[in-house]
Amino acid sequence: MQFNSWIFPLFFAVVYAGYLGLGRSRYRLQNVWLLAASYLFYGYWDPRFLALLGLSTVVDYVIGGRLAASDDERVRKRLVTLSVVVNLGILGSFKYFDFFVDSTAALLETLGFQVHLPTLRVLLPVGISFYTFQTLSYTIDVYRRRMPATKDFFGFALFVAFFPQLVAGPIERAARLLPQIERPRDVTATKVQEGVWLLVWGYFKKTVIADRAALVANPMFDGSWETLTGLEPFTAVLAFTIHIYCDFSGYSDIARGLAKLMGFEFLLNFRLPYFATGPSDFWGRWHVSLSTWLRDYLYIPLGGNRGSRFTTYRNMFLVMALGGLWHGAAWPYILWGSYHGVLLVLERVWADARG
């Protein structure tokens, strides 16, 4: 989504003035105001995809209520399965369908078959990976009875669509963000000061460091590696490393700053990951909201480390490979995730061998 340099500050200024004007005592009206602003923010890019955002919201709100009301375990399993199927079905159709079709066609062609498989060739909705995981955290946690179902539809809709973190995270859990939405927020001088600092620091990392590092890395990666000499390959990798961290963490800081200005607290998504002492430590510091989501909703349900060592290694590798696929529908992302899966497995093998 492309906002002109002056539109987003103006947008937020209007939203913030209205938010403060409604006052702490009318926090439910504040929620409706923020929900309208969030849908305007998302619809500015392409209003057609507001329907998908609304569909995920309605489906999971209804399913969450029925999960809380039912004591029949078979019914509850069917309900949570329906939530998973609907959400991952939408995500898969828009993000992964063409990738798997193209990959299957390429495989069949290498085997000597000429095929013409149907593809969708649709535009990928911005932020769909983030809000899909966010809504799933709600229905799964209600199913596990780790949180009650909400009866506040507008509050739940705001949880799904809240504009500071809608398109780039962090992936907030319902158990963490919904209680903040469903009670009055205090906009204190301390929070405003912290929020402004995070905004300034996030924009600095994004526009000054990340964008400048990209000017160094992109020409080298766009060209042929065979033409690079001397320290150029190292320079390209180093510049991209700086770019990807400052770009992503900068966006996360901006989201946290905007939230603080309105009295909300978001998860710290990056914890100095380049100071990590190993692969597992790195993933405890990098994109924390995703790594903990994968741990709690994929790794542990697969069995985690409760089975044999081989099962644990398999689970670690599968989760990281799927984490790579979450980042993008392309084989380089899967290979990247698989590479980190291998690193985590080797680290665990070494730890197990040492006793």
Side-chain angles (χ1 to χ4, degrees):
M1 176 171 50
Q2 296 296 324
F3 268 94
N4 294 330
S5 59
W6 60 271
I7 291 182
F8 183 74
L10 178 61
F11 165 81
F12 182 70
V14 172
V15 171
Y16 195 49
Y19 179 80
L20 294 178
L22 288 169
R24 179 180 185 275
S25 62
R26 293 184 287 181
Y27 72 95
R28 294 189 185 277
L29 287 178
Q30 287 181 327
N31 290 346
V32 175
W33 175 254
L34 292 178
L35 176 62
S38 297
Y39 269 69
L40 177 63
F41 174 82
Y42 195 71
Y44 180 89
W45 171 68
D46 192 327
R48 293 175 297 177
F49 292 123
L50 288 173
L52 295 177
L53 188 64
L55 176 62
S56 293
T57 299
V58 171
V59 166
D60 286 323
Y61 175 79
V62 172
I63 287 177
R66 293 188 177 182
L67 280 169
S70 177
D71 292 321
D72 188 326
E73 195 58 31
R74 291 176 298 177
V75 171
R76 300 183 80 249
K77 284 184 178 180
R78 285 197 293 267
L79 286 169
V80 75
T81 300
L82 177 62
S83 173
V84 172
V85 169
V86 170
N87 283 285
L88 294 187
I90 294 172
L91 178 63
S93 297
F94 281 86
K95 188 171 183 178
Y96 300 112
F97 182 83
D98 287 350
F99 165 69
F100 285 117
V101 168
D102 291 341
S103 298
T104 301
L107 175 62
L108 291 174
E109 287 177 5
T110 60
L111 298 175
F113 299 97
Q114 294 297 321
V115 294
H116 299 283
L117 300 179
T119 56
L120 296 178
R121 305 300 178 199
V122 294
L123 190 64
L124 178 65
V126 169
I128 189 171
S129 297
F130 290 94
Y131 74 71
T132 296
F133 273 22
Q134 196 149 299
T135 58
L136 280 174
S137 79
Y138 170 73
T139 51
I140 294 173
D141 281 352
V142 172
Y143 169 73
R144 294 173 174 175
R145 300 199 185 281
R146 293 182 177 176
M147 65 171 293
T150 182
K151 297 180 180 179
D152 181 357
F153 175 76
F154 290 107
F156 179 75
L158 178 60
F159 157 72
V160 178
F162 197 21
F163 72 87
Q165 44 81 234
L166 175 60
V167 299
I171 304 169
E172 286 292 333
R173 305 282 184 91
R176 175 183 170 85
L177 184 54
L178 262 179
Q180 297 182 59
I181 292 174
E182 295 177 339
R183 66 171 183 256
R185 280 82 56 176
D186 291 315
V187 181
T188 64
T190 299
K191 286 188 176 181
V192 170
Q193 182 180 2
E194 292 173 350
V196 170
W197 163 248
L198 283 169
L199 278 174
V200 172
W201 178 232
Y203 274 110
F204 178 82
K205 284 199 290 185
K206 172 65 180 74
T207 61
V208 177
I209 303 177
D211 290 353
R212 297 302 178 271
L215 294 177
V216 176
N218 290 344
M220 295 185 182
F221 280 103
D222 291 341
S224 174
W225 277 99
E226 289 79 5
T227 64
L228 300 183
T229 60
L231 293 176
E232 287 181 337
F234 173 78
T235 302
V237 172
L238 179 61
F240 181 76
T241 300
I242 295 171
H243 163 71
I244 193 66
Y245 168 70
C246 290
D247 188 85
F248 201 175
S249 67
Y251 275 123
S252 292
D253 287 341
I254 292 169
R256 292 179 61 226
L258 291 173
K260 276 184 177 290
L261 288 175
M262 293 178 283
F264 295 92
E265 292 289 340
F266 283 173
L267 176 72
L268 179 62
N269 211 21
F270 290 86
R271 300 171 179 169
L272 302 176
Y274 292 154
F275 288 89
T277 58
S280 59
D281 187 32
F282 176 82
W283 282 103
R285 297 167 176 259
W286 178 277
H287 203 346
V288 176
S289 62
L290 174 64
S291 59
T292 54
W293 197 101
L294 292 173
R295 178 197 66 198
D296 294 342
Y297 300 109
L298 189 57
Y299 178 70
I300 292 176
L302 282 173
N305 56 5
R306 298 189 298 273
S308 65
R309 288 184 177 180
F310 173 79
T311 301
T312 300
Y313 303 154
R314 179 206 64 189
N315 294 341
M316 295 172 74
F317 177 80
L318 285 176
V319 167
M320 292 310 301
L322 290 172
L325 182 62
W326 178 88
H327 281 83
W331 283 106
Y333 287 107
I334 299 175
L335 293 175
W336 170 79
S338 300
Y339 166 75
H340 278 275
V342 170
L343 291 181
L344 288 172
V345 169
L346 291 177
E347 181 186 44
R348 187 60 174 263
V349 169
W350 174 252
D352 289 343
R354 295 180 65 186

